[in-house]
Every structure is written in C-alpha cells, then in structure tokens.
Amino acid sequence: MSEKITPFSNVVIGIDLGTTNSLVAHVRDGKPEVLNSREGQRLIPSVVSFVDDKPVVGYAAKRKKVRDAEFTVFSVKRLLGRGFEDVAVGQDVLPYEIVRGGPEGDSKNISIRVGERTYTAIEISAIILRELKASAEQALGVPVRQAVITVPAYFNDSQRQATRTAGHIAGLEVLRIINEPTAAALAYGLDRKKEGLIAVYDMGGGTFDVSILKLHDGIFEVLATNGNTTLGGDDLDQAVLKVVAQEIKESHGLDPARDIQLNAALIEAAEKMKIELSQSETAVFEVKLACLNYSRKWTRSEFQKLILPIIEKTREPCLQALRDAGLKPEDLSDVVMVGGPTRLKIVQDVARMIFGREPNTSVHPDEVVAAGAAIQADILAGNNQDLLLLDVVPLSLGLETYGGLMSPLIARNTRIPTAAREVFTTFVDRQTGVDIHVLQGEREKVEDNRSLARFKLAGIEPLPAGLPRIEVMFLIDADGILQVAAKDLRTGHEQTIEVRPSYGLSDAEVEKMLVEGQKNAEADLAYRRWVEVRNEAEPMLRNAEKKLPDAFRLLPREEAQTIEAQVLALKQGIEQKDIAQVQDAKYRLGASTVRLAELLIKEAIESAQRASNKI
Ligand code: AMP
C-alpha cells in the first residue's frame, strides 16, 4: 500500500541529472529524501532505449544497452549543450553515432542517430527528466511542475541553458540550475557554518570532478574546478574485467573481447562485485551463462591493489584545483565525497591522504547531490525561510563607452539575481545608432576586458550630441544569464540581447582576470583619467578649429592669434597625451573664446532679425 501524503500546492523537486544515474528528491518535514522511481528504485539510470520509437528509461533501458545498442542512448550529458566540434573528440568513448546538425538545421549543433531517427541531446535529456517528473508524481501523489536541477560546476552557460531547455520540454519550470558541488555542500548543511573552504571530490560512473568552494556569508562561490572526464567507477569494472577475461581465456578458451554479450555480462558481474566489496571484505565474482560458468573469490585487499593506480589518478586534479584556488590542503575546512565509487574505503583513503583530513561520507554519496537540490528546491518553494543566496557575479559586467573605456554596470561579487540601469547619450551630432558592446572584467581599457556581445541600437532620433537618452538595462537571472536591453527613451526603440557571461570561462580564467585587474589598477586608473580628459577636450578642439576663421573675422588680429596658439597647444597636448597641457590649454581657450562666442551669438541674432524683417 502506498503511503498517503497530504497534497500541497507548491511541490518543487530537486533533480540530480547525472551522466550515469539520475535521482529525484524532495524535502519532507525538513529532511531531504530520495523518491522512488516508477521502477521502484532510488536510482534511475540515465539511459534511454527506443522500442518502436517509444522511449524506455532507467534500468529497463540499461538492460537493452547491449542487446539493442543501436536503439539505446546513454551518457548523453557529455553532449548536452555542446557543438559538433566540441564532441568530435569524445566520439570514441560513445558507441552511438553523433551526426552534425540540430533540429533547426544548425550545423554547429549535434544529434544522435537512433535507428532511422535522430534526437538531440536536449531531447534525450528531456525524456529522462520526464521520467523523473513522473516518478516524483507517483511517489508524492501530486502533480509536479517545478524543479531545481543540478549541473557540474564546470558547465558553461550553453550547457546550463540546454539543461534548462530539456527541463522545459519535460514540462518542468526550472526554478534554478545549481552546481553539483554546491548541492553536495548544502546536503551536509555546510551553509550553516557561514564561512569555509570546501573540497568536493566527486567520482561518478565515468567522470571525476573536484571543486573547491568558498563559503562566505552563506554564499557558495566556486574557486576552482578540475577533473578527468574519462575516469570513474566504470574504469574499476574494466580493471576487474581485464583480469577476469584473461583467466577465462586461459581456462575456458573464450575471448570476451569478441563476444559482446559475454563482455557485458562480465562487466555487470564486475560492478556487482565492486559494490559488494564496498561493504564486505570478500566477494564472489560470478557469471552463469550457457557458454560459461565461472566464479572466483576476491578479497578486498586484492581488489584495492588492482584499482589503487586508477584512484591515484585523482590526486593531480585535486592538487591542481587547490593550486588554482591559491590554497593548501590545510586551508580546507571540509572535504565532501560525492558519487557511488566514493563508498569504497580505498577511495576515501586516497582522498584523506590528498587533503589531509577526514572526508564527509555520512550522507549517501550517490544521493547527496539530489538531496542538496531538494534542499534548494524547498527554499525556493518558500518552505524554508532561511533564504539562501547561492551565487555572485564573478567579474564585473559593463559597457564600452566613448574613448574605449569600460563602464561597469554590475560590480563583481554582486549577488544574483540582480539588475542595473544607466542612461547614456551620444557623442557625435546627428548620431542615429549606437553600438552596445557588453564587456566583462575589471580593467579600464575595453581591450583588456572580455567581449561578451555586441549589438546595434538603431533608430535614434538624429539630434545634437548629448541630447539623446539611451537607457541600458542589465538583468541577471538566478542562473547567471544576463539580458541586456537598450532603449532610446525618446523614440521608444528597443533592442535586447541575451548573453551568457560565463560561457567558455573557467574559474582559473576568472582568477587570472582578477589578478591582472589588481596588478594594473594604477596604470588603468591613469588611463581612464586620460581618456576622460581627452573626451572632454576633443569636442572643444573640433569646435574651436571650426570657429578660427570667425575669430580672425570678428576679433582684433592679436586676440585671434592668441586663440590660434591655444588651439595649437590643445591639439599638441592631445597628441602627446599630456594631461597637464590639455587641461591648461582647455582652460585658457575657454577664457579667451568667451568674447568670440558673445560676438557670434550677437551676429546670429542680428541675422535672424534681418531675416524676419524681410518676411
Ligand atoms: P554515480 O554517477 O554517482 O551514480 O556513480 C555511478 C558509479 O558508482 C558506478 O560506477 C557504480 O558502479 C558505482 N557505485 C555505486 N555504488 C557503489 C558502491 N557501493 N561501491 C562502489 N561503487 C559504487
């Protein structure tokens, strides 16, 4: 009999959309719990198999991985939000065929061939998410429409956006995309400590990720990430397979490498034994097939000896991540273990040796990310009033302004979501368009910052310089996606663009940009001051040069010559980038042209009067 639970309107689920397995969780009575899948399991293998074009998800699909390989897709997360060129390298680890072209014929996109049809990675992920949603609905007995989904910390914005789109296709409103290591830290309640430096050691089925998080005022910031995209629990199974296959070859004369079915059965048995050895000192590797009856007892120490070199491969990425974060192992306050293989004692031992402290393993390592996602979901559902802000803008965001300067609208470390607005104007008379150049970084010169996007706002009324009012809005949503809107306040003409500030930007690069910013702060400031002075002086120079003939016409020759000399001094000052000379010439020129300006106004009034008398 299924337990009855009181339906409530605001169910938000937490989803760990994994490469190998996915989980869905929610918080009940303040505690996160993983929900059973429709197959009655906690894990849902992230595998989709098509039977007569109809998708099957989970263990049922995983079982078809060998028999119906042509119709079965797995590890699709490796392809999510990536272009053809990005994944061409990974093609060898994925047995299915990846073809160029997405649903809109975009040649940069990719699809996966399944029999006669092709599917995008987003579509496959949506099928998995739909299964997770259905599982949660069955477990909770209420419709579910909102979710928090986790992604690896290194996911760029295109990968995050693809995850969000997949959720949308699955009928879920994705309230937030959060980093997997952040979710793991949340599940351990580390946010309650307010401050800390946390290493998250995450070994999944096929990948290893390490993230260094900084917890400050309850906000998690990713300081560095590293890892190995082809290192995980599957490699441990393969190591066992290699030993066993050799024995079988010698004793039974069978070559598993030439028999897909046998090979698959051996891998399955290897995985089973590995899992057993995480709890027992000994385990039996056993396969009972028509062609082969094989069994062999393994001790934990024998298994550990075999896999230690593989686990040791996690050491360098961990040390590199620490180096990138500018930290030493002893600076860490916590080490959190994520992923099925971290249940193995040898993996915990290696992590302890790398970080020099006892790793946190009390929350199920394969459920910890889903649990954290559920905690975040609970907060967003309004059930937990301890509002937690999880992310900040890692680098300032701004616009290019006249003279090649970066004008920041949102300062780094601002908590997201956030918005900023500023009104700009034109620098040239009768200017009908402005280039909106969105920048990221801490430097004063445009070229020292990262160019995120450019677009043109056309349709500005042709007015004298300085009169148009162009409002620029920066809006960053909870996932860090930036929307820039530029609007001519007179004509109402508007142009919007969506930018992904962290696209292709690693944490190490962010760090580098910050260091560069600090190193060059003084020179940058001097440069800004110069450009500002020049921006003021140049229009004055242009104007004075235009009026020189009038000076000689209306003023005594000597006075006109003085103006001419000051124009020359100003020009020279600008050419030589001499701030003092420019300021001085500007001041003198301003004073000596007062009379000329008065005379010109008088002349203009008189000529206007003459014209009206004629009428
Ligand atoms: P995950 O992506 O975190 O679900 O990790 C999947 C990997 O964890 C697979 O290679 C599993 O075989 C492995 N795994 C799951 N449970 C255990 C366990 N108790 N001991 C060792 N490995 C495990």
Side-chain angles (χ1 to χ4, degrees), residues 401-403 425-429 431 434 464-466 468 532 534-536 538-539 542:
T401 52
Y402 192 77
T425 189
T426 53
F427 239 89
V428 180
D429 288 339
Q431 195 174 326
V434 283
E532 281 169 357
R534 189 188 66 193
N535 283 355
E536 264 181 43
E538 274 179 347
R542 274 199 301 272

Side-chain angles (χ1 to χ4, degrees), residues 18-21 23 43 202-206 232-234 236-237 271 274-276 278-279 338-344 365-366:
T19 310
T20 319
N21 295 304
L23 292 98
L43 291 183
D202 178 353
M203 188 185 264
D234 299 347
L236 312 183
D237 308 338
E271 184 183 13
K274 169 185 72 178
I275 291 172
E276 222 173 300
S278 70
Q279 283 156 2
V338 178
T342 65
R343 289 185 190 228
L344 293 168
D366 32 10

Side-chain angles (χ1 to χ4, degrees), residues 403-468:
L405 285 182
M406 148 82 158
S407 167
L409 264 85
I410 295 177
R412 71 176 285 261
N413 276 339
T414 304
R415 291 179 186 190
I416 60 169
T418 185
R421 170 188 179 271
E422 208 162 310
V423 176
F424 293 87
T425 189
T426 53
F427 239 89
V428 180
D429 288 339
R430 306 188 60 75
Q431 195 174 326
T432 55
V434 283
D435 279 316
I436 305 286
H437 186 190
V438 185
L439 300 166
Q440 179 178 45
E442 309 308 312
R443 306 289 302 275
E444 301 284 355
K445 270 191 218 176
V446 165
E447 65 260 33
D448 293 333
N449 292 289
R450 217 172 151 244
S451 170
L452 290 182
R454 269 174 201 274
F455 65 99
K456 202 176 176 78
L457 176 69
I460 297 173
E461 223 182 305
L463 294 171
L467 278 190

Side-chain angles (χ1 to χ4, degrees), residues 521-540:
E522 216 170 302
D524 272 9
L525 212 69
Y527 178 77
R528 168 173 285 275
R529 189 163 136 62
W530 159 243
V531 173
E532 281 169 357
V533 167
R534 189 188 66 193
N535 283 355
E536 264 181 43
E538 274 179 347
M540 188 170 185

